[in-house]
Amino acid sequence: MNTITPATTPRVPINHFLPYWAVLESDFKNTFNSWIYRVWVLLSIAVAVGYLLYRFGARQVAGMIQPAPETVSDLLHWAILGSVTLIIAVTAGTICSERGTMADSVLSRGISRYQYFLGKLHSRLALILGTFLFQGLLAIGGAYCMLHGDALTLHGCLVALLIVGSMFVFVITFGVTISAMSSNTLVSIAVVWITIYGGGFLLTQLPSSIPSPERALLNLPNVMRGYYDWNDLGRTMLISLGVSFATALVGMFYFSRRDV
Amino acid sequence: MAENPSDLVVETHQLTKIYQNRQIALNDVTMKLEPGTVLGLLGHNGAGKTTLLRLVLGLHCPTAGWVKLFGQYMTPNAASLRCRIGYIPTSPQFPAGMTPITYLDYMARLFGLPSEYRKPRLAMLIRAVDLLASSGDRIENFSNGMIARIAVATSLINDPDLLIWDEPTLGLDPEARRSMLDLIKTLALDKTLIIASHNLSDIDEVCNHAAVLSNGHLIYYGSLQDLKGRMKRNHYEFELEGDQKAITRAMQALKNMSDFKYVNIKQRRLEIRMSDDANNTNALANVFMTLADNNVTVISIRSVGMQTEQAFLDLVEEEASRGFARAVKNAA
């Protein structure tokens, strides 16, 4: 090794936003390149394309017409139920899978635990929600072109995507939070999976005045036709986002005080 | 001596770490590190070296006690304090797909270094550690020596005041190890260093202070010179020249003396071990006189065992022999 120059350089001004951005960007790239994310994207696209083609074929060959809102609603419904498992797998190992030397090499630098947690959370939110919205818009576009699209309204479709998106926000936030609190990826995945599916099931058993993911999903065809009560849906989305925010706060404060 | 506590680089007070009420990893460690110190952190596997370093870095939270760096308490969120530390973990790992340039850039951004500073700095460091030719290659294909060089560059990217290097020479070939030791000596001119290592000859060469941990307890903290001063110098080896019969006669004479508990000759190499209560100056004088009486010439004499290694082993042995007296602070 050549001689390294002694530290004669004056102290440079620190950009406090940069560590957060570095973690976000790096995690976004790593997740984008991970096999589990690719499996999720490929499966979702394959299911959407296959279902749309099946419905298109049924209409062309047998004359079985299913209106586009029902078709897209079915797709979103199965996206939630099916994709959630893979989204849990993508998010529940976010932090705990990097424990040990890998986390050491990041957390021993000039980054706070808050920045690290938020960088990870926001990268997963951006990637998964971005992917979901992109897939959703493609599915709606496909349904509009290939099926009986007259009944679809643009604002109804956007609201439907927002409803499902707000549910995903909770799933992602909860996954990242548990990964920050757990030491083991498999345990983390199991806890998130049981809580999400179990909690969703329990909510369906409660009186209909209490919002539940299942009831919101069953109402999607009407929403896409433009028949919805914005106050009710807004309340459901706000509850989901509020619970997500509270969950993230708990995870962040716990992570800021634990050993890595 | 630093008169003002804020002048201290590292200060720990009754630092204790117990993992999940199952394992006492560190017990009541109090020490003060002044600027310019090169501290060698010694201890067996599981002695608590890495735990101590992780507590100093804020990666772990103390169960009791505290750590101060540059006069401020270290916490997991003390990012500004960590901006003044350069750390090399044991067997550093790197994210897949990164090259030295992208990795150093990432690390520099984790310190919040703006582009106009970090780009020239990382280029300078890559050149300094001789990785210019491999700067675009993926790190996962690198050898141990190259990985060690990236780790060094990473630990210096923020121009830190304190360097914490955990086993920096582990797995290096002799040439790379020599370069690493030379680098430590250069850095020691204007930085404070903590070097954890099992290699006592490395510590002996580059450090001016030592801390010895045994089962999570700090059994020695002070200058390396003082540590060596505690060593029992009682094992010597002489290379001799002369008639074989004369050498054998001299050996017999030495065996009859009470100063020595072990005397042996092997191919004109005389090995002696003194009794615990022998005065080593007098005993050595007796050896020389006996050899002179028998017309045997001494070609060389050396103290057997690495000085620091011997001192370390003596210290650990002494600590182990104290038994329950350890519970009493002033029992030693």
Side-chain angles (χ1 to χ4, degrees):
Chain A
M1 278 183 274
N2 298 333
T3 308
I4 291 185
T5 50
T8 50
T9 41
R11 292 259 162 240
V12 288
I14 300 291
N15 179 347
H16 294 286
F17 181 71
L18 213 47
Y20 158 80
W21 185 249
V23 168
L24 191 152
E25 197 184 335
S26 162
D27 189 67
F28 191 93
K29 278 184 193 163
N30 289 341
T31 312
F32 186 80
N33 291 324
S34 67
W35 65 268
I36 198 149
Y37 169 78
R38 290 178 177 181
V39 165
W40 173 57
V41 172
L42 288 176
L43 273 180
S44 304
I45 290 174
V47 168
V49 170
Y51 190 65
L52 285 175
L53 284 176
Y54 161 70
R55 278 291 159 201
F56 182 69
R59 194 184 83 168
Q60 295 296 97
V61 177
M64 292 164 61
I65 296 173
Q66 185 186 37
E70 270 77 13
T71 307
V72 178
S73 168
D74 281 351
L75 273 176
L76 290 178
H77 198 151
W78 289 110
I80 280 275
L81 294 178
S83 292
V84 160
T85 295
L86 283 169
I87 290 174
I88 288 170
V90 171
T91 57
T94 306
I95 292 172
C96 57
S97 67
E98 286 190 357
R99 277 169 64 85
T101 318
M102 193 70 89
D104 276 9
S105 63
V106 175
L107 291 169
S108 61
R109 315 298 169 190
I111 184 169
S112 71
R113 298 280 180 91
Y114 300 138
Q115 288 177 313
Y116 183 78
F117 180 90
L118 289 176
K120 290 274 183 186
L121 174 64
H122 293 162
S123 91
R124 305 285 163 135
L125 280 172
L127 183 62
I128 294 170
L129 289 179
T131 307
F132 163 71
L133 289 177
F134 180 71
Q135 288 174 344
L137 288 173
L138 282 184
I140 288 169
Y144 188 82
C145 297
M146 294 165 69
L147 303 171
H148 221 64
D150 305 347
L152 287 174
T153 61
L154 181 63
H155 59 91
C157 290
L158 290 178
V159 170
L161 288 180
L162 281 179
I163 291 169
V164 179
S166 69
M167 292 176 197
F168 276 150
V169 168
F170 176 71
V171 174
I172 297 163
T173 309
F174 190 63
V176 174
T177 297
I178 295 297
S179 83
M181 299 168 87
S182 166
S183 305
N184 183 300
T185 305
L186 283 178
V187 171
S188 176
I189 288 174
V191 168
V192 178
W193 196 89
I194 290 168
T195 310
I196 295 288
Y197 281 97
F201 173 75
L202 282 179
L203 282 174
T204 59
Q205 307 302 308
L206 296 176
S208 57
S209 57
I210 296 171
S212 84
E214 185 65 20
R215 280 191 281 274
L217 292 175
L218 288 174
N219 196 33
L220 282 183
N222 294 329
V223 173
M224 278 186 274
R225 286 191 178 92
Y227 305 136
Y228 57 87
D229 179 353
W230 182 243
N231 288 333
D232 274 358
L233 294 181
R235 191 166 64 107
T236 306
M237 280 191 273
L238 276 179
I239 288 173
S240 176
L241 295 177
V243 172
S244 305
F245 183 72
T247 306
L249 277 183
V250 170
M252 191 168 71
F253 282 111
Y254 184 87
F255 182 61
S256 72
R257 281 156 182 77
R258 72 166 302 183
D259 297 342
V260 291
Chain B
M1 286 284 284
E3 290 174 6
N4 190 343
S6 64
D7 292 341
L8 294 169
V9 179
V10 180
E11 186 182 2
T12 69
H13 178 72
Q14 296 184 335
L15 196 60
T16 301
K17 182 67 186 175
I18 303 174
Y19 290 114
Q20 296 162 347
N21 287 333
R22 284 181 193 161
Q23 186 198 353
I24 299 170
L26 211 61
N27 175 17
D28 196 16
V29 171
T30 299
M31 61 182 197
K32 292 175 179 175
L33 219 69
E34 293 178 12
T37 303
V38 183
L39 177 74
L41 194 55
L42 304 170
H44 294 298
N45 286 331
K49 301 187 296 291
T50 301
T51 300
L52 176 60
L53 298 184
R54 292 169 77 87
L55 285 163
V56 170
L57 283 158
L59 296 171
H60 282 182
C61 301
T63 309
W66 47 256
V67 181
K68 274 186 185 178
L69 261 79
F70 309 105
Q72 295 175 50
Y73 288 104
M74 174 51 92
T75 67
N77 284 304
S80 59
L81 286 180
R82 277 194 293 271
C83 281
R84 300 178 68 180
I85 304 176
Y87 175 54
I88 300 181
T90 326
S91 311
Q93 288 178 11
F94 300 92
M98 282 197 168
T99 66
I101 293 175
T102 54
Y103 183 70
L104 282 178
D105 189 62
Y106 176 46
M107 288 294 128
R109 286 194 299 154
L110 288 174
F111 283 112
L113 300 177
S115 177
E116 63 272 19
Y117 175 80
R118 73 171 185 267
K119 299 288 183 187
R121 177 85 183 159
L122 75 87
M124 184 276 283
L125 284 168
I126 285 176
R127 182 187 295 274
V129 296
D130 277 346
L131 282 174
L132 214 51
S134 316
S135 58
D137 299 342
R138 286 172 169 243
I139 297 174
E140 57 254 40
N141 302 323
F142 281 11
S143 66
N144 283 346
M146 292 164 90
I147 283 175
R149 283 185 268 164
I150 295 176
V152 166
T154 305
S155 75
L156 296 172
I157 191 83
N158 55 326
D159 190 11
D161 299 313
L162 169 66
L163 288 163
I164 298 179
W165 289 4
D166 197 354
E167 306 276 1
T169 54
L170 188 72
L172 297 185
D173 61 41
E175 192 187 351
R177 183 178 149 268
R178 175 50 42 205
S179 300
M180 187 69 86
L181 295 177
D182 290 343
L183 174 63
I184 292 172
K185 286 177 193 167
T186 308
L187 291 168
L189 297 175
D190 67 343
K191 294 185 191 302
T192 306
L193 285 99
I194 301 178
I195 313 282
S197 180
H198 282 123
N199 194 329
L200 296 169
S201 67
D202 292 354
I203 296 288
D204 205 19
E205 184 172 340
V206 299
C207 296
N208 51 31
H209 281 68
V212 181
L213 285 165
S214 174
N215 294 323
H217 192 60
L218 187 66
I219 57 173
Y220 177 81
Y221 176 66
S223 75
L224 198 62
Q225 213 59 39
D226 289 347
L227 177 65
K228 288 177 187 172
R230 297 166 66 107
M231 186 183 74
K232 292 179 238 163
R233 292 185 183 84
N234 64 354
H235 192 181
Y236 294 91
E237 200 175 75
F238 297 77
E239 203 175 337
L240 307 174
E241 194 177 66
D243 180 42
Q244 188 61 48
K245 284 181 183 169
I247 292 174
T248 310
R249 265 200 315 275
M251 190 187 77
Q252 286 303 330
L254 290 171
K255 274 188 174 174
N256 294 330
M257 293 182 186
S258 61
D259 284 348
F260 309 110
K261 61 180 177 186
Y262 176 78
V263 179
N264 189 32
I265 185 102
K266 197 181 280 180
Q267 293 178 342
R268 293 171 184 259
R269 207 176 282 267
L270 175 68
E271 192 184 350
I272 60 167
R273 202 185 290 262
M274 294 169 192
S275 311
D276 289 339
D277 53 349
N279 177 316
N280 82 338
T281 311
N282 290 341
L284 282 173
N286 287 337
V287 173
F288 283 113
M289 281 197 296
T290 309
L291 293 173
D293 290 348
N294 290 282
N295 287 325
V296 177
T297 311
V298 177
I299 295 175
S300 68
I301 173 172
R302 72 181 186 94
S303 173
V304 176
M306 289 279 313
Q307 285 202 358
T308 311
E309 184 175 327
Q310 192 59 50
F312 168 71
L313 293 172
D314 287 350
L315 210 56
V316 173
E317 190 184 336
E318 184 188 317
E319 168 69 8
S321 67
R322 284 178 64 198
F324 293 159
R326 275 187 228 107
V328 186
K329 281 253 180 197
N330 299 320

